[in-house]
Amino acid sequence: MSKQAYRVINLQLVMMQSLSPTMRRFSFESSEMSAIQTFAPDQRVKLFFPQLKNPQETQWIVEKEDWYQAYRQMPEATRPPMRTYTIRNLYPEKNRVDIDFAMHGATGPASTWAESAMIGDRIQMAAPNVDWDGEKRGFEWHPPAIAEQILLMADETALPAVAGIIEELHLDNVQADVHVLIEMPKHEDRIELPEHQNIHVHWLARENQSQPGEKLYEYVQKLYPSQQQKKSAVELENINVDEEILWFTGEKLEQQKFYAWIAAESKAVLNIRRYLAQECGIQKEHLNCMGYWRWGKVLG
Ligand SMILES: Cc1cc2nc3c(=O)[nH]c(=O)nc-3n(C[C@H](O)[C@H](O)[C@H](O)COP(=O)(O)OP(=O)(O)OC[C@H]3O[C@@H](n4cnc5c(N)ncnc54)[C@H](O)[C@@H]3O)c2cc1C
């Protein structure tokens, strides 16, 4: 068995495509693409970018199999900063992978690279290793087969995952009633998604008039109004989203009829989780809540 669930490969940027004012698709090629795989539409990967201060001094990862220990031992000043992204499309036969970036201005190593990227740029990616025989890792989308209601909530950083999830539900001719709430910076950020009679997509736009996640929080209250008789005093973990990554994934309950997958700005996700569990009485085990980024913070 290979040592690590993820392995590092080199990527070269071959194409950029604007999907909306905020979303840009970056297509990369790699001669090592057959060494990685993807398991689910929300498959997360680590991308490694040039150092912000001295991009030319960046020391790329050489030990690609047993990379994590080696990476941690590299000097912080020169190792490539690592950020989490989602595989949007993987085409091993074409040696190609697509990653969709939310363009939010040059605020960190990932967004700075994306804002000024040029065809031919090289970065690195850690993705699921094809030689790994252990448990499949790096995704949270596990809808129970008998689900009757599915709730998907995302902001622009989780749109790549949700777009893939909708494609999968469409292909599977989903029988559950699916509500999808997507909050984007602008109305024009609406992208085309496959249509299906059971999938109801609600696009929400901040238009510089609300904080990230506020529109999601407002809309979920319309969709699931608080009900006195369903209110629950369930105790919820109250984490400090400025210091910890918010990641509460439900248990896999085969008999579960309601399933939620929620990924957006951490504080917003915390509030939504609290609302659904305490005001609507939804079992917290049915809620998969992921903080994809935190306003004003670098959470690594
Ligand atoms: C599992 C997972 C999957 C993800 N998939 C994707 C994906 O496919 N596409 C994608 O675009 N993002 C994705 N993200 C989010 C992405 O990892 C973060 O936005 C990341 O912080 C960007 O790194 P950075 O170097 O630009 O900024 P950082 O160095 O991390 O942060 C610098 C500053 O930028 C701010 N910032 C970070 N993200 C945003 C944002 N979206 N809007 C406004 N300010 C921001 C931070 O609050 C901080 O103040 C994913 C995150 C997770 C956890």
Side-chain angles (χ1 to χ4, degrees):
M1 188 161 79
S2 172
K3 278 188 197 152
Q4 299 220 4
Y6 274 51
R7 62 157 294 147
V8 171
I9 64 170
N10 294 336
L11 299 180
Q12 182 164 29
L13 182 64
V14 292
M15 201 164 81
M16 288 181 276
Q17 185 191 353
S18 174
L19 304 177
S20 82
T22 300
M23 300 305 295
R24 193 172 299 168
R25 175 158 301 165
F26 292 80
S27 302
F28 300 92
E29 276 183 8
S30 172
S31 57
E32 302 161 283
M33 211 63 89
S34 56
I36 61 142
Q37 59 187 328
T38 179
F39 299 123
D42 60 338
Q43 181 69 58
R44 55 184 178 271
V45 290
K46 298 292 182 189
L47 295 182
F48 301 89
F49 297 96
Q51 274 282 338
L52 269 183
K53 281 195 189 142
N54 299 307
Q56 307 306 331
E57 309 279 298
T58 309
Q59 279 185 356
W60 296 97
I61 300 164
V62 179
E63 174 51 64
K64 291 177 173 174
E65 283 283 346
D66 201 5
W67 63 275
Y68 190 62
Q69 282 309 323
Y71 178 76
R72 289 180 55 138
Q73 282 161 13
M74 291 166 81
E76 239 177 271
T78 51
R79 72 182 183 195
M82 172 168 83
R83 293 291 181 273
T84 311
Y85 280 79
T86 306
I87 290 188
R88 181 65 181 91
N89 301 303
L90 178 66
Y91 307 100
E93 68 293 349
K94 292 188 199 161
N95 289 330
R96 215 179 88 179
V97 66
D98 294 337
I99 311 272
D100 293 351
F101 280 60
M103 305 296 286
H104 56 84
T107 57
S111 44
T112 301
W113 175 84
E115 289 290 347
S116 55
M118 307 230 291
I119 299 300
D121 275 3
R122 290 169 190 276
I123 62 169
Q124 291 184 307
M125 171 170 80
N129 190 342
V130 282
D131 295 329
W132 171 254
D133 297 329
E135 193 194 345
K136 294 175 181 174
R137 290 193 193 165
F139 61 97
E140 308 302 340
W141 170 244
H142 303 282
I146 62 149
E148 290 175 1
Q149 275 189 61
I150 295 177
L151 171 65
L152 298 171
M153 295 178 75
D155 69 7
E156 60 271 35
T157 62
L159 176 61
V162 159
I165 289 173
I166 292 177
E167 284 167 8
E168 185 182 290
L169 290 170
H170 183 263
L171 273 178
D172 293 347
N173 191 19
V174 61
Q175 293 307 300
D177 198 29
V178 184
H179 280 279
V180 189
L181 313 189
I182 305 173
E183 181 190 290
M184 298 296 289
K186 297 187 176 304
H187 288 295
E188 304 82 62
D189 280 319
R190 208 180 152 131
I191 60 165
E192 218 163 289
L193 296 168
E195 289 182 13
H196 187 282
Q197 57 184 4
N198 295 337
I199 306 178
H200 315 284
V201 181
H202 313 272
W203 289 93
L204 312 165
R206 294 196 288 277
E207 291 293 346
N208 293 323
Q209 283 167 11
S210 59
Q211 295 298 313
E214 227 174 276
K215 295 270 174 199
L216 288 173
Y217 186 66
E218 278 169 23
Y219 203 93
V220 81
Q221 293 179 69
K222 281 192 212 156
L223 206 55
Y224 301 95
S226 166
Q227 290 178 25
Q228 196 56 40
Q229 69 276 21
K230 287 195 176 167
K231 280 194 183 183
S232 152
V234 62
E235 288 270 326
L236 292 176
E237 309 79 347
N238 195 10
I239 72 157
N240 181 348
V241 288
D242 286 332
E243 285 171 10
E244 295 166 75
I245 294 173
L246 181 146
W247 209 265
F248 295 119
T249 52
E251 285 160 34
K252 275 189 235 166
L253 305 170
E254 289 310 320
Q255 294 312 310
Q256 175 178 340
K257 302 237 164 97
F258 177 88
Y259 176 88
W261 184 104
I262 301 163
E265 196 279 334
S266 295
K267 184 73 192 225
V269 175
L270 186 70
N271 291 337
I272 292 166
R273 180 173 189 256
R274 191 176 299 138
Y275 176 78
L276 289 172
Q278 293 182 334
E279 298 293 318
C280 305
I282 295 174
Q283 261 181 270
K284 67 175 183 175
E285 292 75 17
H286 296 182
L287 303 171
N288 295 274
C289 297
M290 286 80 64
Y292 268 26
W293 62 287
R294 172 67 186 128
W295 184 250
K297 296 280 169 193
V298 178
L299 292 181

